[in-house]
Amino acid sequence: SPGRPTELEAAADLMTGRHTQDQHERVVSAVTTACRQCVHGFSWAEAGSVNVLLTGASTLLHAGRTEYEAPVRDLLRTLSRPLHATRATDDVTFEAEATALLNSAVALLLSAVPAIAMAAADLLVHLTALPGDSNPPSPMLSLLSGSGPASPLPRFGPHSPLRQPARQPAAWQGRRDMLSAGRAQQLIAKTQAADTLLAVLHASFDSALRTLALRALRGVSQHHPTASQLLRSSHWPELIATLSEPLGTPFLPLATEVLSNTLDAEAAEAATRLVAPQVVNALTGLLARASSSGVEADRELRNDVLALAMRIAQACSATDRETLLGGGIFAAALGMIAQDAWACAPPQGATRESPWAEVSAAAAAARLGTVPLPPVDTASELQFELLQLALGLVAVTSATEVPPIAVPAVRDSQLVAAV
């Protein structure tokens, strides 16, 4: 409406005016009114005024003026709705103002006020889930050929809500004058979002905030330039550390998706980072823990980790591949193939446990240790998916020849008999 910019500008003038900046009650009321009138979101042209309000209100809040907490939350909540244009070139004309505004919002991820940090993370989750994503993520589970795009496998079993992008109101769908996820991702890539979200994982012990931060990381890492920034962040180890969280936490599936997104962005560089000993150990340990659980969500996670290992093996160099195989994941995949085969049709004199017992001995030498698998349900679609992934990993790692480090595991696994 014609009055909306006036309300925002008036609130910004009150916030910065020499004679009015100390009239806090009046400023808070003006910001609240401006957000209420922009219930469907701000426009590109208003980005500059909104940034004045957001930076001013957050500064006062962190200086001890607690009455500004609600206005800051209101601004972030309204900003999570799509920016809309009044002219076709608004997204270009006001790009600098919009980027500065997002930078101000990203900085609030590290706010000492938990509700503000949560609102800033939720903003990024919503912006990266808007309609019209120009760079959607590739499927996590895929059987990879030596070249060409991945062939997606069907995902079986119920999806965790945390794996699904946030759904936006139907009224926002198809609005050409509104900010799309692709455009939002371009702006976010010009901010410090990637590094700051990783810093949240280091600085915060709040489980809800860490979950939101990982959801936001999953969203922003769908855009290749931002995923590349993750790989080069000094806080990269914080993402790897989440792989050691207990089973059942939402961090684990989110972290594996983020790692997969980095492979989409820069396969060779990401693979080099992901074959570091601490990463291989973390992935191997996670695979062992998820394999020992009978919970369906953990079995999905087990498959995701194996799919991630297969993608790493395909993208890394021959030398790095030996590091990956030496970590025990290859031995675990061989054991999964043998255990599945024996469960379907045990040969005379063999039991379900005997092949895995032999494989676990080889795995122990590879520092994996014994991984007790639950009884195999041969009719399970997730189990069939696991078999596909295990065979895929073996195929990728032995495409030319079996690396010497993997020969003992192949010999002890009775792979030929299992196949």
Side-chain angles (χ1 to χ4, degrees):
S1 65
R4 276 178 42 193
T6 302
E7 291 291 344
L8 282 166
E9 291 173 357
D13 288 342
L14 286 174
M15 178 80 69
T16 58
R18 185 175 63 176
H19 301 295
T20 57
Q21 60 184 352
D22 293 330
Q23 299 176 15
H24 300 296
E25 184 175 346
R26 185 180 174 191
V27 173
V28 167
S29 177
V31 175
T32 302
T33 300
C35 289
R36 190 179 299 120
Q37 292 192 356
C38 299
V39 66
H40 295 299
F42 301 118
S43 71
W44 287 89
E46 295 166 342
S49 295
V50 176
N51 194 27
V52 170
L53 294 174
L54 183 62
T55 54
S58 60
T59 299
L60 288 167
L61 170 62
H62 293 110
R65 305 295 312 195
T66 57
E67 64 266 39
Y68 281 93
E69 179 178 340
V72 172
R73 288 203 316 269
D74 289 342
L75 289 164
L76 291 171
R77 187 181 302 113
T78 307
L79 186 56
S80 70
R81 300 178 174 91
L83 291 173
H84 56 88
T86 56
R87 295 180 178 85
T89 58
D90 276 1
D91 66 324
V92 176
T93 304
F94 300 104
E95 179 177 343
E97 290 83 353
T99 302
L101 173 57
L102 282 179
N103 252 325
S104 299
V106 164
L108 293 177
L109 287 165
L110 296 175
S111 170
V113 182
I116 300 304
M118 293 275 288
D122 192 58
L123 161 67
L124 293 177
V125 171
H126 279 77
L127 287 182
T128 55
L130 293 175
D133 193 350
S134 62
N135 185 25
S138 64
M140 176 62 183
L141 290 175
S142 52
L143 285 177
L144 302 180
S145 60
S147 61
S151 302
L153 284 173
R155 163 56 84 194
F156 302 113
H159 289 276
S160 163
L162 289 171
R163 291 174 174 265
Q164 307 306 312
R167 296 191 62 82
Q168 302 296 341
W172 296 3
Q173 306 293 328
R175 287 286 301 275
R176 295 180 179 275
D177 62 331
M178 286 186 171
L179 177 68
S180 70
R183 190 70 175 100
Q185 292 278 29
Q186 293 172 4
L187 296 179
I188 291 170
K190 297 181 179 181
T191 71
Q192 299 297 315
D195 192 63
T196 307
L197 285 167
L198 289 176
V200 170
L201 300 180
H202 171 74
S204 176
F205 296 98
D206 186 318
S207 177
L209 176 57
R210 286 165 60 84
T211 300
L212 263 181
L214 278 165
R215 289 182 64 193
L217 278 169
R218 178 184 62 179
V220 301
S221 63
Q222 293 171 11
H223 189 54
H224 291 179
T226 309
S228 298
Q229 293 171 20
L230 290 177
L231 289 170
R232 292 163 178 78
S233 171
S234 61
H235 295 292
W236 168 260
E238 305 303 330
L239 179 60
I240 305 305
T242 61
L243 298 174
S244 300
E245 295 284 348
L247 291 179
T249 62
F251 308 146
L252 298 174
L254 291 169
T256 55
E257 288 189 60
V258 174
L259 294 178
S260 180
N261 288 343
T262 63
L263 282 164
D264 290 336
E266 290 190 50
E269 176 67 21
T272 300
R273 300 296 301 271
L274 292 173
V275 295
Q278 63 269 29
V279 182
V280 173
N281 290 339
L283 289 173
T284 303
L286 178 55
L287 180 63
R289 289 183 288 127
S291 296
S292 65
S293 172
V295 178
E296 185 163 10
D298 295 336
R299 295 167 72 188
E300 288 188 4
L301 177 63
R302 169 202 63 189
N303 291 10
D304 284 353
V305 173
L306 202 57
L308 181 62
M310 183 169 61
R311 297 193 61 197
I312 296 170
Q314 186 190 44
C316 67
S317 65
T319 302
D320 287 339
R321 189 173 297 144
E322 292 196 11
T323 304
L324 177 65
L325 297 179
I329 291 180
F330 183 72
L334 291 170
M336 292 168 183
I337 296 169
Q339 195 242 9
D340 185 276
W342 281 194
C344 291
Q348 186 176 2
T351 65
R352 290 188 179 190
E353 291 74 19
S354 61
W356 184 252
E358 295 180 18
V359 172
S360 64
R367 301 186 306 280
L368 174 63
T370 301
V371 182
L373 293 180
V376 175
D377 175 10
T378 56
S380 166
E381 293 169 318
L382 273 175
Q383 188 68 25
F384 179 63
E385 183 180 83
L386 175 66
L387 179 60
Q388 290 178 292
L389 291 168
L391 286 167
L393 177 60
V394 173
V396 167
T397 52
S398 58
T400 53
E401 63 179 357
V402 178
I405 195 172
V407 169
V410 174
R411 181 186 62 239
D412 296 337
S413 69
Q414 303 179 31
L415 176 64
V416 175
V419 171

